[in-house]
Amino acid sequence: MKSSVEREQILNTLNYYEFDVLVIGGGITGAGIALDAATRGMSVALVEMQDFAAGTSSRSTKLVHGGLRYLKQLDVKVVAEVGKERELVYENAVHVTEPMWMLLPFHKKGTFGKLSTSAGLRIYDFLAGVKKEERRHMLSPEETSQKEPLVKTKDLLGGGYYVEYRTDDARLTIEIIKKAIEKGAVCLNYARARSFMYNDQNKVIGAEVVDTINNKRINIHAKKVVNATGPWVDGVRALDSIENKKKLKLTKGVHIVLDQDVFPLRQAIYFDTPDKRMVFAIPRNGKAYIGTTDTFFEGNIKNPVATHKDVDYLLDAIHYMFPQVQVSKEHVESTWAGVRPLIYEEGKDPSEISRKDEIWQSEAGLFTIAGGKLTGYRKMAETIVDKISKQLGEEKYGPCVTKHLTLSGGDLGGSNQFEAFIAMKEQIAPSYGLTREEGRRLAKFYGTNVDKVFQYAHILGTVPSNLPLSLLAQIYYAVHDEMTYSPVDFLVRRTGMLYFQIDQFKLYKDDVLKVMKQLLNYTEEETASLQKQLDICLVDATLSESGDIL
């Protein structure tokens, strides 16, 4: 992947070349489209006004899941399609996705009963093409309690036990972007599409784009333009024209993170709330995260935050399902909030609106894609690139090849090779100045890209620093190989430290800024601005005395 140090070169390439496809939006949907198009032989440009995955694609429940909840809404097609995609996402990126067993307890008068759970999971297994060893089991009340002793035993009728896939949504998006660049796409973050350009026939032929770091303006010419901006879809459409009655309805989802010392969750759980919604509680590296809320949202799309009401809702949900767990706001270590762009359906509550994706094209030729789920990103990309290929003359381009295309870092020869790969890297880590434990952690995190991180560690071993060598190597890799511009990019989206290692975030954030200032030559003004970003980021994610933000 290109380096943040090479921005000027990337801007010049974007400015002076006509592309087959310009994708606006660097979340998982736009990244998937860029990868699909590039692997078919199209020339591709992608611009993102913030950092890659800064919007919805770093603020999800971090699951590549089949959407069991959508069976309740009879969205059979959604369940079948995204269910089958789960294993593809896993096999193509085993270092950012892993299977885990999920427990669905059911109680008297709950959302799911014994028969409906058993039937629902059986249909789910069938529709999603679940492999034999991962098919559902039905558990007795005693077996359910053995799996997770914290689940309330009053009125417990049993549980369903099935497999979902946990992921790092931001890193998944970054690995797709890196693969797209490897295949020839030209991608740039912090580049905002300001307006569209048209030819004499009033057809879209590109966009004027502003580099938000240095305010440089460029014109990107393209034969086809795709609006894949998630919650910003309607705003970008409005730069062209909005000709149909379809519009987005934004909903906000909030998650909270607790230490497992106060919420010793052993098992991922999908459970009822008092108002009959369903939320997840998922253990992760010594923490447990719980979510999501689902409420209509009309606030700041760029920076949605958890409110006291959101957090109270999730704490109440914990107390309802896990009555032994005594947690309060003081125990909440961090939070995140994301905005989902759903296609509006009159009269429906947020949880009832379908997550299906839709594609439409304006009179001027602008493609827009909206809705959809993280899990379905590859199939969504295939659908829209098929349409683009047809309009450009499909004889020029091959079919979709992403079904079995490993993402950046995933070239391991399949998931069954991953443990052996990690063990090998753990063994050689000390020769690069790292501990075996650091080597194991980095290999699991970066997959086959870990060799570059090891090389940075080897080079930096004699450099004086307040930071651990492993973290310093990660910063260098993030800047030089993952187009990381700011400390927030690194600490939130490249590592997830803000959410799952909040103490380390607080400890290292200022030194991370110093190192990145040296690498990227920030001006004093930029440094002050980025320091403020870090401070705001911490306030937004943690308990705060200001306003309604935690």
Side-chain angles (χ1 to χ4, degrees), residues 1 26-28 31 51-54 56-60 62 64 89 92-97 166-179 284 374 377 407-410 441-450 452-453 473-475 477-479 481-484 489-497 499-500:
M1 187 169 183
I28 198 161
D51 184 27
F52 303 122
T56 308
S57 297
S58 59
R59 299 163 182 263
S60 73
K62 306 186 189 303
V64 175
V89 176
N92 291 338
V94 295
H95 59 304
V96 289
T97 312
R166 184 174 61 190
T167 192
D168 183 326
D169 48 4
R171 285 220 58 85
L172 178 61
T173 305
I174 297 295
E175 301 297 25
I176 298 166
I177 291 272
K178 284 156 68 179
K179 191 68 173 186
R284 175 171 166 162
L374 179 85
Y377 85 86
L407 301 181
S408 180
R441 177 179 61 80
L442 292 171
K444 197 172 180 183
F445 195 76
Y446 291 105
T448 52
N449 289 323
V450 76
K452 282 192 176 181
V453 183
Q474 285 183 274
I475 295 169
Y477 179 73
V479 169
D481 298 272
E482 294 189 330
M483 214 177 287
T484 304
D489 296 346
F490 177 72
L491 293 166
V492 179
R493 288 170 287 279
R494 303 303 185 278
T495 63
M497 194 184 289
Y499 303 135
F500 299 107

Side-chain angles (χ1 to χ4, degrees), residues 83-102:
K84 287 170 183 168
E85 286 294 306
R86 295 181 315 161
E87 195 178 346
L88 293 178
V89 176
Y90 169 54
E91 287 295 338
N92 291 338
V94 295
H95 59 304
V96 289
T97 312
E98 61 179 336
M100 65 175 184
W101 285 94
M102 182 76 70

Side-chain angles (χ1 to χ4, degrees), residues 213 485 513 520-531:
I213 293 173
Y485 164 70
L513 175 58
L520 291 164
N521 298 313
Y522 299 148
T523 63
E524 289 307 315
E525 190 180 345
E526 276 181 300
T527 305
S529 173
L530 293 171
Q531 180 69 64

Side-chain angles (χ1 to χ4, degrees), residues 232-429:
W232 290 269
V233 152
D234 282 346
V236 173
R237 284 170 75 204
L239 297 176
D240 176 46
S241 64
I242 297 180
E243 296 151 354
N244 59 28
K245 292 182 180 177
K246 294 184 185 294
K247 61 178 179 177
L248 294 188
K249 192 74 177 176
L250 303 181
T251 68
K252 185 177 76 169
V254 165
H255 297 77
I256 60 174
V257 180
L258 301 165
D259 195 280
Q260 281 187 284
D261 284 346
V262 296
F263 186 14
L265 188 69
R266 297 193 332 202
Q267 167 70 57
I269 298 193
Y270 187 40
F271 65 95
D272 267 332
T273 61
D275 62 354
K276 305 301 182 191
R277 285 197 63 255
M278 302 285 292
V279 301
F280 292 97
I282 299 170
R284 175 171 166 162
N285 300 334
K287 308 294 179 185
Y289 68 94
I290 302 91
T292 176
T293 59
D294 204 2
T295 52
F296 286 131
F297 181 71
E298 294 180 353
N300 179 1
I301 304 174
K302 196 171 180 180
N303 190 35
V305 293
T307 63
H308 287 294
K309 187 177 178 182
D310 295 326
V311 174
D312 285 340
Y313 177 90
L314 293 173
L315 291 173
D316 287 346
I318 294 170
H319 298 147
Y320 176 74
M321 186 53 62
F322 310 98
Q324 303 167 51
V325 178
Q326 301 301 309
V327 290
S328 62
K329 280 180 186 164
E330 288 70 36
H331 297 114
V332 176
E333 292 193 349
S334 62
T335 69
W336 71 86
V339 178
R340 302 182 201 89
L342 305 179
I343 297 162
Y344 183 59
E345 295 176 53
E346 193 76 46
K348 288 198 173 182
D349 289 332
S351 298
E352 298 173 324
I353 299 176
S354 172
R355 267 62 175 168
K356 68 187 175 190
D357 56 279
E358 289 197 30
I359 298 163
W360 54 87
Q361 190 173 20
S362 72
E363 286 291 321
L366 174 69
F367 280 102
T368 291
I369 184 163
K373 288 172 51 61
L374 179 85
T375 314
Y377 85 86
R378 192 200 66 82
K379 200 70 184 169
M380 289 163 64
E382 180 181 350
T383 303
I384 196 166
V385 178
D386 279 347
K387 292 177 184 291
I388 291 167
S389 178
K390 196 170 182 181
Q391 291 186 15
L392 290 175
E394 52 194 340
E395 66 283 349
K396 298 179 192 172
Y397 307 107
C400 175
V401 297
T402 59
K403 191 170 185 178
H404 301 294
L405 180 72
T406 54
L407 301 181
S408 180
D411 304 312
L412 296 153
S415 58
N416 57 348
Q417 303 296 317
F418 194 35
E419 271 308 316
F421 169 83
I422 292 169
M424 179 182 70
K425 295 303 175 184
E426 178 185 352
Q427 222 170 15
I428 66 170

